[in-house]
Amino acid sequence: GHAHPTWSFWATPFLGRWLRRNFRDETLPADGKMKPLQVIEVKEDEDLLNVATWEDKGTKQWCKFDIPDPVEFDTILNEQST
């Protein structure tokens, strides 16, 4: 996936902290349920924003629903049932 991040200046410390962790190739410690995770191994920006949010005790996930083009439904709507 790819993120469409939006934030205000209040998020700057959060974004800076996680950008630093990525640049430094830091490892998040195991927590009993999860094994240690190298931050650099999280390849997608949306995935990293989710990991960062959850590590900072957030309860949401960062995602954007892309509204499909109505033309994409033509195949389904025009399909004949067998």
Side-chain angles (χ1 to χ4, degrees), residues 1-8 11 14-15 45-46 49 62-64:
H2 63 280
H4 297 270
T6 56
W7 56 77
S8 70
F14 168 82
L15 295 168
D45 53 352
E46 186 173 303
L49 290 168
W62 201 301
C63 67
K64 175 185 177 286

Side-chain angles (χ1 to χ4, degrees), residues 63-74:
C63 67
K64 175 185 177 286
F65 178 74
D66 286 320
I67 298 171
D69 186 323
V71 174
E72 295 177 23
F73 293 108
D74 287 346

Side-chain angles (χ1 to χ4, degrees), residues 3-64:
H4 297 270
T6 56
W7 56 77
S8 70
F9 72 95
W10 296 105
T12 304
F14 168 82
L15 295 168
R17 185 169 52 253
W18 284 93
L19 186 61
R20 181 200 69 221
R21 285 183 164 183
N22 188 280
F23 286 159
R24 290 184 178 174
D25 190 18
E26 294 183 16
T27 300
L28 301 178
D31 71 355
K33 293 179 262 178
M34 303 295 291
K35 63 181 185 173
L37 174 68
Q38 283 186 272
V39 175
I40 197 85
E41 291 298 317
V42 182
K43 300 295 183 198
E44 299 290 335
D45 53 352
E46 186 173 303
D47 296 339
L48 181 57
L49 290 168
N50 283 331
V51 169
T53 300
W54 300 329
E55 280 292 310
D56 283 2
K57 308 298 183 228
T59 58
K60 299 182 179 199
Q61 77 179 34
W62 201 301
C63 67
K64 175 185 177 286

